[in-house]
Each structure stands twice: as structure tokens, then as C-alpha cells.
Amino acid sequence: EEQFGPYLVYERLGVGGMATVHRALERGIEGFERIVALKRLLPHLAEDASFIKSFVREAKLASFLNHVNIVQIFELGRVGIEYFISMEYIDGNDIRRILRHARKVSGAPPIHVTVGILVQLAEALDYAHTKCDDHGQPLKLVHRDISPSNLIVTPSGHLKVIDFGIAKAQSSQLH
């Protein structure tokens, strides 16, 4: 456990080229608490303006999206020189892990399960691709990294798309 601003940081959920993601407990006033996923810019990148700009852009871009199949962003912040994004914690496994486990145990998932997940993915991507800004202008948002590791499935079968870190947007508001 590590105290990081208002967050009590627990186990690491993932690491990428730019950031780590941990499960964390957010603490607020009057006993408010919630579990979040806390994405923190890697320490050696904390003073690199181009990486900070990319990290901030990711948070801004993802904050425009409010869909049941897309992870929700709560906050972009900074503790000292370390930037972070607080987001919805998804209790589940990524598709890569699910498929690997299925191959070992029972083979490919049943077709109705696969189709159900693909429908949820299509709905999330359609929402992101057709999302407009506050002025009605299309954001023209493209995820660009739809991979099994960026698709989390809850135990009840609900899909969440994560990591808009390398998304592309045409809107001048997001450049």
C-alpha cells in the first residue's frame, strides 16, 4: 500500500510504455470512499512535456465519452510532479486472459458469448466514432488500439473498452 494524494494505492493492474495502472481507494470528506483504477505517468516521463501532453490529451479525450461499454474517467490530476488519471475500476479480466484460459480448459467460447461481446464492442465503438462535441461537431474519434488486452469483461459478461491513449481525434478541441 502507498498513499498518493487522496488515494491509497494497492496492487498494480497493468503497465505500459507511458503509465502504470493500480487499483486504489479514493478517500474523500465525510467518509466517502470508492475503488478506482489509478493510471499514473511513469516517473521518468514526469518532466517530459510531450509525454505529459499525450497523457493530458488522453484524459480529455476519454472524458468526452459517457457510454455503458466505455470506462468512465473521473479525474485528471497531479500530486507533486506526477500526473494521474482516476477512472472507473472494472472488476473483471481482459479478453486476452479469458481466451487463454478458455483454450486450456474448454476450447473456444460459445458463439453466443462471442457475439454478445462483439455487439457490446460495436456499440461502444459506434458511440465513440459518432460522438459530437458541445457545438454539434463530430469528434471523429478512432480508438486505434482495440486489442484483447484493452477489452475487459466483468464476471456478468459486461464489456468495457479501456485505454484511449493512442486514439485519434479530428476535433480542434482535442488537438
Side-chain angles (χ1 to χ4, degrees):
E1 294 181 1
E2 168 197 357
Q3 191 66 45
F4 179 78
Y7 301 95
L8 184 58
V9 180
Y10 299 120
E11 77 273 8
R12 186 173 74 189
L13 302 173
V15 63
M18 195 165 79
T20 59
V21 180
H22 289 82
R23 186 175 65 87
L25 177 67
E26 178 184 9
R27 293 180 177 158
I29 63 170
E30 300 292 330
F32 172 84
E33 292 184 337
R34 73 174 158 189
I35 296 293
V36 299
L38 191 65
K39 185 172 192 172
R40 298 193 293 179
L41 192 60
L42 291 169
H44 69 279
L45 303 176
E47 295 180 26
D48 186 318
S50 65
F51 281 101
I52 292 170
K53 185 178 177 180
S54 293
F55 194 75
V56 168
R57 181 181 169 277
E58 173 189 348
K60 285 181 177 180
L61 203 153
S63 73
F64 277 92
L65 304 175
N66 186 14
H67 188 273
V68 69
N69 296 113
I70 298 174
V71 71
Q72 187 68 49
I73 299 295
F74 297 139
E75 178 184 13
L76 167 65
R78 193 172 75 186
V79 172
I81 63 165
E82 196 171 348
Y83 283 79
F84 70 88
I85 299 170
S86 168
M87 65 189 101
E88 175 184 10
Y89 171 73
I90 310 302
D91 183 21
N93 290 301
D94 67 43
I95 297 273
R96 182 192 63 209
R97 185 173 293 147
I98 292 168
L99 290 175
R100 204 177 284 151
H101 179 73
R103 266 194 298 263
K104 289 179 185 173
V105 175
S106 61
I111 192 70
H112 71 280
V113 170
T114 302
V115 169
I117 289 171
L118 289 173
V119 166
Q120 292 178 72
L121 174 59
E123 288 173 352
L125 294 178
D126 179 63
Y127 170 82
H129 294 171
T130 59
K131 178 72 175 161
C132 293
D133 66 17
D134 296 337
H135 306 292
Q137 297 300 312
L139 294 175
K140 297 183 180 175
L141 180 62
V142 179
H143 189 287
R144 297 198 317 177
D145 190 21
I146 293 298
S147 62
S149 60
N150 285 335
L151 305 173
I152 308 286
V153 180
T154 67
S156 64
H158 191 80
L159 176 84
K160 289 282 190 171
V161 178
I162 64 168
D163 199 359
F164 277 79
I166 64 166
K168 177 181 172 187
Q170 299 288 323
S171 171
S172 60
Q173 200 173 0
L174 296 173
H175 283 280

